[in-house]
Amino acid sequence: MRRTQITCTTYFNNPISQISRLYSSRLPLTDNSSRNQDERKDRETTTIPTMSEIMDSSKSQKLHLQLQTLGPFFRITASSLETKRELGKAEGLVRVWLGGKILHLDSIRLQRETLGMEKSIFGIGLFIGAIAIRHGYDSGCKTAELLAINDSDLYHSKLVRFYKRMGFKAVHEVTGSSMQDLAHLLVWGGRGTRMDARIEELLLKWGRKFKPRSSLDC
């Protein structure tokens, strides 16, 4: 009992000293946390490509990209700067859900004649996808969702590889054989592989590809 009294008396007789020591011991942690947050923001600012940087980068590949929006809906078209022919397009919408906004990629389609081009699936498709992801980022979305449609085994496997390379992860196989699949079939209109990704992670992963070389050297 006596020790307890001495301890308590010492604490209350010198509160300023106790508070000062407590504050000084925690201050470096606060500074480090703030510094880490600032460094993270700076890294994201220099790595995440802007919409204009993606557009400019596509021109070096002889591509013209166009983003059109109508309310929550959007459409992205890619055409050749040389032939003016449409090479691919993407459509979707920004969907409000319980956990926040979601970028719903309804479809990314490439013209059949482009599938033989080396830059097709990982070139044209990547640029179209980057515009869609950046649009979702600007709209406040945290997550992107899509269905790699399975209308042929060959094309489906290419789509799954492409989306996995972009950074998407498979979350469900929609085959139509279960009650759970009914909701997916109503939303997506077909069978395939349901895939999700974190939008910020995608932009950080592919940011350097679309950044001008001069900004990366700084």
Side-chain angles (χ1 to χ4, degrees), residues 30 82 94 154 159 203:
T30 303
E82 296 175 336
V94 174
L154 177 61
L159 282 177
L203 291 172

mmCIF file of all heavy atoms in Angstrom, residues 30 82 94 154 159 203:
data_model
loop_
_atom_site.group_PDB
_atom_site.id
_atom_site.type_symbol
_atom_site.label_atom_id
_atom_site.label_comp_id
_atom_site.label_asym_id
_atom_site.label_seq_id
_atom_site.Cartn_x
_atom_site.Cartn_y
_atom_site.Cartn_z
ATOM 1 N N THR A 30 5.118 10.003 -34.468
ATOM 2 C CA THR A 30 4.192 10.817 -35.254
ATOM 3 C C THR A 30 4.893 11.421 -36.455
ATOM 4 O O THR A 30 4.372 11.444 -37.564
ATOM 5 C CB THR A 30 3.587 11.938 -34.377
ATOM 6 O OG1 THR A 30 2.954 11.346 -33.245
ATOM 7 C CG2 THR A 30 2.572 12.743 -35.163
ATOM 8 N N GLU A 82 -3.033 5.652 -88.543
ATOM 9 C CA GLU A 82 -2.638 5.526 -89.951
ATOM 10 C C GLU A 82 -3.828 5.187 -90.835
ATOM 11 O O GLU A 82 -4.026 5.817 -91.886
ATOM 12 C CB GLU A 82 -1.546 4.458 -90.076
ATOM 13 C CG GLU A 82 -0.255 4.821 -89.353
ATOM 14 C CD GLU A 82 0.761 3.710 -89.391
ATOM 15 O OE1 GLU A 82 0.341 2.519 -89.545
ATOM 16 O OE2 GLU A 82 1.964 3.995 -89.279
ATOM 17 N N VAL A 94 -19.542 3.210 -63.819
ATOM 18 C CA VAL A 94 -19.121 3.397 -62.434
ATOM 19 C C VAL A 94 -20.324 3.062 -61.560
ATOM 20 O O VAL A 94 -21.358 3.724 -61.624
ATOM 21 C CB VAL A 94 -18.646 4.835 -62.177
ATOM 22 C CG1 VAL A 94 -18.349 5.047 -60.694
ATOM 23 C CG2 VAL A 94 -17.400 5.137 -63.013
ATOM 24 N N LEU A 154 -9.672 -20.806 -76.770
ATOM 25 C CA LEU A 154 -8.444 -20.107 -77.128
ATOM 26 C C LEU A 154 -8.507 -18.639 -76.714
ATOM 27 O O LEU A 154 -7.593 -18.122 -76.067
ATOM 28 C CB LEU A 154 -8.182 -20.222 -78.629
ATOM 29 C CG LEU A 154 -6.944 -19.467 -79.149
ATOM 30 C CD1 LEU A 154 -5.673 -20.000 -78.484
ATOM 31 C CD2 LEU A 154 -6.858 -19.597 -80.672
ATOM 32 N N LEU A 159 -7.550 -13.988 -72.810
ATOM 33 C CA LEU A 159 -8.110 -12.931 -71.979
ATOM 34 C C LEU A 159 -7.686 -13.081 -70.519
ATOM 35 O O LEU A 159 -7.295 -12.106 -69.875
ATOM 36 C CB LEU A 159 -9.638 -12.939 -72.077
ATOM 37 C CG LEU A 159 -10.281 -12.325 -73.325
ATOM 38 C CD1 LEU A 159 -11.794 -12.487 -73.260
ATOM 39 C CD2 LEU A 159 -9.906 -10.854 -73.472
ATOM 40 N N LEU A 203 -2.539 0.992 -61.415
ATOM 41 C CA LEU A 203 -1.890 2.196 -61.941
ATOM 42 C C LEU A 203 -0.444 2.285 -61.481
ATOM 43 O O LEU A 203 0.431 2.720 -62.245
ATOM 44 C CB LEU A 203 -2.670 3.434 -61.505
ATOM 45 C CG LEU A 203 -4.054 3.605 -62.148
ATOM 46 C CD1 LEU A 203 -4.813 4.754 -61.503
ATOM 47 C CD2 LEU A 203 -3.929 3.834 -63.660
#
